[in-house]
Amino acid sequence: MKVDLIISADDIKQEKILKKSIVVIDMLRATSVITTAMNNGCKAVVPVLTIEEALEIANKDRKKYILGGERKALKIEGFDCANSPLEYRRDIVEGKTLVITTSNGTRAIQGSLGAKNILIGALINAKAVAEKLISLDNDVVIVNAGTLGQFSMDDFICAGYIIDCLLRERSDIELTDISKTAYYIYKENQNIISFIKYASHYKRIKELNLEEDLDYCCQKDIINIVPEYNDGTITVSDNKDKRAVV
Ligand code: 3SL
Ligand code: MG
């Protein structure tokens, strides 16, 4: 099993992801939101690129859908929720379909179309993602959403932790130089907050007084499910027994 890594949604190349098992990471905060919503009983998540697309889907039946996401890290006018994972509580999401649009995370998911599998990963479900990858037994590309086409320290260290989980399960994993670097960086910085407090996006979220989001997203392995994208929709195939309490 080979593991490669792409550093931002803008750097995805079709030839690199074709037939691979992809993990999309936007730990601050889109993939943490999707994972939390699904863990709290959300039926499905529809990731879209534009606000207009999101409104068009949700307006078909406002009782069935929740509108979520952000622009410039802020709630979108007319939407139900912003991009804070803590908003996606069971009483809000259970039985609903979340239509979400975000600046980087949903772009990274859409950019990964053509891959064999597209898994949704974050620190909060990293170990479960690694276990799922082992069971798929295919070459892996970790797609970091990054921030507006730029490298993001937060997604990179999250990738490093997923690689660490993979290496604990299997010794025959071949890492590219960039995935090896993510792994080494994680090994030297296992306290995630101490490392990513220097990241630009961390600072932006902190300036918005969303420190609780940061604390939440920086926890490792509090959720055991792995959301997966197929044909326009993200679901969890075996979430019933594995749902953790958050
Ligand atoms: O870029 C994204 O997809 C978002 O997760 C960014 S934010 O953390 O909500 O600002
Ligand atoms: Mg991000």
Side-chain angles (χ1 to χ4, degrees):
M1 181 192 277
K2 289 186 193 148
V3 179
D4 198 5
L5 191 154
I6 291 172
I7 62 158
S8 89
D10 287 10
D11 293 293
I12 301 170
K13 292 196 182 93
Q14 267 298 307
E15 65 267 25
K16 283 209 162 194
I17 60 161
L18 216 60
K19 297 188 182 152
K20 302 287 179 1
S21 294
I22 304 295
V23 181
V24 175
I25 299 176
D26 185 356
M27 67 161 276
L28 298 181
R29 295 168 292 169
T31 56
S32 296
V33 163
I34 294 168
T35 303
T36 301
M38 302 266 9
N39 194 54
N40 284 337
C42 179
K43 218 158 78 180
V45 177
V46 181
V48 296
L49 294 176
T50 66
I51 295 171
E52 293 70 30
E53 268 177 282
L55 287 168
E56 199 185 318
I57 297 169
N59 284 339
K60 284 181 195 152
D61 184 349
R62 289 303 275 118
K63 282 192 187 134
K64 178 176 167 195
Y65 295 101
I66 293 179
L67 276 166
E70 56 70 41
R71 285 297 180 268
K72 298 187 175 157
L74 302 171
K75 185 172 172 179
I76 299 163
E77 206 187 312
F79 275 37
D80 303 305
C81 296
N83 205 32
S84 164
L86 300 171
E87 287 184 55
Y88 293 81
R89 300 187 315 262
R90 182 167 294 275
D91 58 315
I92 306 282
V93 300
E94 189 157 39
K96 305 267 174 142
T97 295
L98 166 65
V99 186
I100 189 168
T101 179
T102 71
S103 310
N104 308 284
T106 51
R107 244 163 23 87
I109 296 168
Q110 295 287 352
S112 300
L113 302 189
K116 188 168 177 205
N117 322 92
I118 304 175
L119 310 181
I120 304 301
L123 266 184
I124 56 175
N125 71 338
K127 197 162 176 285
V129 168
E131 282 163 7
K132 176 87 180 183
L133 290 172
I134 301 278
S135 74
L136 292 171
D137 200 18
N138 186 27
D139 287 344
V140 172
V141 179
I142 299 176
V143 173
N144 285 355
T147 306
L148 303 175
Q150 301 292 316
F151 172 85
S152 250
M153 290 168 73
D154 33 284
D155 294 335
F156 198 61
I157 198 152
C158 180
Y161 178 55
I162 291 176
I163 294 166
D164 183 51
C165 295
L166 281 171
L167 290 172
R168 277 191 243 165
E169 300 279 329
R170 258 174 84 154
S171 53
D172 62 335
I173 290 172
E174 211 181 298
L175 301 176
T176 56
D177 279 9
I178 189 149
S179 45
K180 224 175 264 176
T181 306
Y183 171 63
Y184 289 149
I185 294 229
Y186 168 70
K187 281 309 229 188
E188 292 301 318
N189 299 279
Q190 296 190 30
N191 182 322
I192 304 294
I193 291 198
S194 305
F195 180 73
I196 68 169
K197 66 181 179 200
Y198 302 109
S200 51
H201 196 59
Y202 185 97
K203 287 184 188 160
R204 164 87 180 134
I205 303 286
K206 201 171 167 184
E207 277 161 16
L208 292 169
N209 293 319
L210 294 168
E211 262 169 317
E212 282 185 3
D213 278 10
L214 296 168
D215 290 344
Y216 175 81
C217 294
C218 289
Q219 299 173 97
K220 294 173 192 158
D221 308 319
I222 57 165
I223 290 179
N224 290 324
I225 59 156
V226 183
E228 184 166 353
Y229 178 94
N230 274 303
D231 297 329
T233 305
I234 297 168
T235 53
V236 177
S237 48
D238 54 350
N239 61 349
K240 261 205 167 134
D241 305 329
K242 297 180 90 183
R243 226 172 251 164
V245 180
V246 286

